[in-house]
C-alpha cells in the first residue's frame, strides 16, 4: 500500500497567514475603536482572537503531522492505539466499514485527534481563565473557567491514568465538563 502524500505548509504560506492575521486583527480593532468601544475592552477580545487563530493553526499542523507519521506517538498514545485495536467493537467496525483497509491508520488518526482535542480544550479553558482574570469577572465565572481548565489539564489526566483505566478517566472528564456547564447555565443570569 502506498504512503499518503506528505501534507506540509510552505514558509511563504505561513508568512501570508501571519500577515493576514495581523491585518485582520488590526481592522477589527480599528472598527471597534471607531464604534466607541474602550481600548481596555478590545484588548482581551483581540488576545482571545489571536490565541484562537494560533490554536486552530496548531491543531491543523500538529494533527496532520502526527497522523501522517512525521511525529511519533507518545507511550500513552501507543497504549491507547493498541488497546483500541484490540477492542471487539473495533473488529466489528473494521469488518463492516473497512474490510479491505488496514484499521491501524484509522485508529492512529482517532488517537492523535483525541490527543489534539484534549490539548485544545485545555488551552481554550486556560486562555479563558486568563481573559476572565484580565476582565476582572465575577468570582463564580473565574472559579468555573479554572475548574474547566483543571478538568481538561493533560498533566493531571496522565496522573489519573497511572491509577485508573483511560476510559474511566475520559468518562469522568466528560461528566465533570457537562456538570460544570450545567451549573454555569443554571446559575447565569
Amino acid at each position: 500500500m502506498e504512503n499518503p502524500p506528505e501534507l506540509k505548509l510552505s514558509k511563504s504560506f505561513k508568512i501570508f497567514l501571519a500577515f493576514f492575521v495581523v491585518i485582520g486583527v488590526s481592522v477589527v480593532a480599528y472598527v471597534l475603536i471607531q464604534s466607541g468601544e474602550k481600548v481596555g475592552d478590545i484588548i482581551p477580545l483581540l488576545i482571545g482572537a489571536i490565541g484562537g487563530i494560533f490554536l486552530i493553526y496548531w491543531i491543523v499542523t500538529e494533527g496532520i503531522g502526527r497522523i501522517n507519521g512525521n511525529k511519533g506517538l507518545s507511550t500513552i498514545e501507543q497504549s491507547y492505539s493498541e488497546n483500541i485495536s484490540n477492542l471487539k467493537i473495533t473488529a466489528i467496525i473494521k469488518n463492516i466499514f473497512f474490510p479491505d483497509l488496514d484499521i491501524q491508520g484509522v485508529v492512529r488518526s482517532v488517537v492523535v485527534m483525541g490527543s489534539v482535542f484534549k490539548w485544545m480544550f485545555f488551552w481554550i479553558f486556560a486562555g479563558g481563565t486568563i481573559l476572565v482574570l484580565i476582565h476582572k469577572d465575577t468570582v463564580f465565572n473565574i472559579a468555573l473557567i479554572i475548574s474547566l481548565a483543571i478538568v481538561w489539564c493533560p498533566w493531571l489526566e496522565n496522573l489519573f491514568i497511572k491509577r485508573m483505566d483511560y476510559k474511566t478517566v475520559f468518562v469522568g472528564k466528560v461528566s465533570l465538563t457537562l456538570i460544570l456547564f450545567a451549573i454555569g447555565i443554571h446559575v447565569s443570569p
Side-chain angles (χ1 to χ4, degrees), residues 5 13-14 47 65-66 76 79 114 118 128 133 139-141 151 156 165 189:
F13 181 74
K14 290 177 185 177
I47 291 170
R66 293 181 68 210
I76 291 174
S79 69
K118 169 179 63 177
L133 289 171
V139 174
F140 174 74
N141 287 344
V151 166
L156 288 176
D165 182 48

Short mmCIF file of all heavy atoms in Angstrom, two decimals, residues 5 13-14 47 65-66 76 79 114 118 128 133 139-141 151 156 165 189:
data_model
loop_
_atom_site.label_atom_id
_atom_site.label_comp_id
_atom_site.label_asym_id
_atom_site.label_seq_id
_atom_site.Cartn_x
_atom_site.Cartn_y
_atom_site.Cartn_z
N PRO A 5 0.46 11.16 0.51
CA PRO A 5 1.37 12.28 0.27
C PRO A 5 1.54 13.10 1.56
O PRO A 5 0.61 13.24 2.35
CB PRO A 5 0.66 13.09 -0.81
CG PRO A 5 -0.76 12.71 -0.71
CD PRO A 5 -0.78 11.28 -0.22
N PHE A 13 3.41 30.48 2.72
CA PHE A 13 2.03 30.45 3.18
C PHE A 13 1.94 30.85 4.66
O PHE A 13 1.03 31.57 5.05
CB PHE A 13 1.41 29.07 2.97
CG PHE A 13 -0.03 29.02 3.40
CD1 PHE A 13 -1.01 29.62 2.64
CD2 PHE A 13 -0.39 28.40 4.59
CE1 PHE A 13 -2.34 29.59 3.03
CE2 PHE A 13 -1.71 28.38 5.00
CZ PHE A 13 -2.69 28.97 4.21
N LYS A 14 2.90 30.41 5.47
CA LYS A 14 2.92 30.79 6.88
C LYS A 14 3.09 32.30 7.03
O LYS A 14 2.44 32.92 7.87
CB LYS A 14 4.04 30.05 7.62
CG LYS A 14 3.79 28.57 7.79
CD LYS A 14 4.97 27.91 8.47
CE LYS A 14 4.80 26.40 8.52
NZ LYS A 14 5.96 25.73 9.11
N ILE A 47 -6.72 39.53 22.09
CA ILE A 47 -5.86 38.46 22.60
C ILE A 47 -6.54 37.10 22.40
O ILE A 47 -5.92 36.14 21.97
CB ILE A 47 -5.50 38.70 24.08
CG1 ILE A 47 -4.58 39.90 24.22
CG2 ILE A 47 -4.85 37.46 24.69
CD1 ILE A 47 -4.37 40.35 25.66
N GLY A 65 0.64 16.41 10.96
CA GLY A 65 1.99 15.85 11.11
C GLY A 65 1.99 14.52 11.83
O GLY A 65 2.71 13.59 11.46
N ARG A 66 1.16 14.40 12.86
CA ARG A 66 1.15 13.17 13.64
C ARG A 66 0.35 12.07 12.96
O ARG A 66 0.68 10.89 13.08
CB ARG A 66 0.65 13.45 15.04
CG ARG A 66 1.69 14.33 15.75
CD ARG A 66 1.35 14.68 17.13
NE ARG A 66 1.39 13.52 17.97
CZ ARG A 66 0.62 13.39 19.04
NH1 ARG A 66 -0.20 14.35 19.38
NH2 ARG A 66 0.68 12.33 19.77
N ILE A 76 1.81 6.75 25.98
CA ILE A 76 0.39 6.66 26.36
C ILE A 76 -0.48 6.50 25.12
O ILE A 76 -1.38 5.66 25.08
CB ILE A 76 -0.03 7.89 27.18
CG1 ILE A 76 0.66 7.87 28.54
CG2 ILE A 76 -1.54 7.96 27.34
CD1 ILE A 76 0.42 9.11 29.38
N SER A 79 -0.24 3.04 23.75
CA SER A 79 -1.05 2.08 24.52
C SER A 79 -2.53 2.24 24.19
O SER A 79 -3.26 1.26 24.09
CB SER A 79 -0.80 2.22 26.02
OG SER A 79 -1.31 3.43 26.50
N GLY A 114 -7.80 12.72 19.18
CA GLY A 114 -8.23 12.77 20.57
C GLY A 114 -7.23 13.53 21.42
O GLY A 114 -7.60 14.38 22.25
N LYS A 118 -7.84 17.14 23.21
CA LYS A 118 -7.63 17.24 24.66
C LYS A 118 -6.81 18.48 24.97
O LYS A 118 -7.16 19.28 25.84
CB LYS A 118 -6.95 15.97 25.16
CG LYS A 118 -6.45 16.04 26.58
CD LYS A 118 -5.81 14.74 27.00
CE LYS A 118 -4.60 14.41 26.20
NZ LYS A 118 -3.91 13.19 26.62
N GLY A 128 -9.13 31.12 28.46
CA GLY A 128 -10.34 31.73 29.01
C GLY A 128 -10.13 32.20 30.43
O GLY A 128 -10.64 33.25 30.84
N LEU A 133 -9.67 36.63 34.14
CA LEU A 133 -8.91 37.34 35.18
C LEU A 133 -8.58 38.76 34.75
O LEU A 133 -8.67 39.69 35.55
CB LEU A 133 -7.63 36.57 35.52
CG LEU A 133 -7.83 35.26 36.29
CD1 LEU A 133 -6.52 34.49 36.38
CD2 LEU A 133 -8.40 35.52 37.67
N VAL A 139 -16.36 36.16 40.72
CA VAL A 139 -15.65 35.04 41.33
C VAL A 139 -16.22 33.72 40.81
O VAL A 139 -15.48 32.76 40.57
CB VAL A 139 -15.74 35.12 42.88
CG1 VAL A 139 -15.13 33.89 43.52
CG2 VAL A 139 -15.06 36.37 43.38
N PHE A 140 -17.53 33.67 40.63
CA PHE A 140 -18.17 32.44 40.12
C PHE A 140 -17.63 32.09 38.74
O PHE A 140 -17.27 30.94 38.47
CB PHE A 140 -19.68 32.62 40.08
CG PHE A 140 -20.38 31.45 39.45
CD1 PHE A 140 -20.51 30.24 40.13
CD2 PHE A 140 -20.88 31.54 38.16
CE1 PHE A 140 -21.13 29.16 39.54
CE2 PHE A 140 -21.52 30.47 37.56
CZ PHE A 140 -21.64 29.27 38.26
N ASN A 141 -17.58 33.08 37.83
CA ASN A 141 -17.09 32.82 36.47
C ASN A 141 -15.62 32.41 36.47
O ASN A 141 -15.21 31.53 35.72
CB ASN A 141 -17.30 34.04 35.58
CG ASN A 141 -18.75 34.25 35.22
OD1 ASN A 141 -19.57 33.36 35.37
ND2 ASN A 141 -19.07 35.45 34.78
N VAL A 151 -10.06 20.34 34.83
CA VAL A 151 -10.64 19.08 34.34
C VAL A 151 -9.94 18.63 33.06
O VAL A 151 -9.69 17.44 32.88
CB VAL A 151 -12.17 19.24 34.11
CG1 VAL A 151 -12.73 18.10 33.29
CG2 VAL A 151 -12.90 19.35 35.43
N LEU A 156 -2.67 16.42 34.59
CA LEU A 156 -3.46 15.75 35.62
C LEU A 156 -4.06 14.45 35.09
O LEU A 156 -4.13 13.45 35.81
CB LEU A 156 -4.58 16.67 36.13
CG LEU A 156 -4.15 17.84 36.99
CD1 LEU A 156 -5.36 18.73 37.33
CD2 LEU A 156 -3.49 17.36 38.26
N ASP A 165 -8.17 3.25 34.58
CA ASP A 165 -8.31 2.97 33.15
C ASP A 165 -8.61 4.28 32.42
O ASP A 165 -9.36 5.13 32.91
CB ASP A 165 -9.44 1.95 32.95
CG ASP A 165 -9.60 1.57 31.50
OD1 ASP A 165 -8.59 1.25 30.86
OD2 ASP A 165 -10.75 1.61 31.02
N PRO A 189 -27.24 34.64 35.00
CA PRO A 189 -28.48 35.44 34.95
C PRO A 189 -29.07 35.46 33.56
O PRO A 189 -28.46 35.27 32.59
CB PRO A 189 -28.00 36.84 35.37
CG PRO A 189 -26.53 36.87 35.18
CD PRO A 189 -26.07 35.44 35.21
#
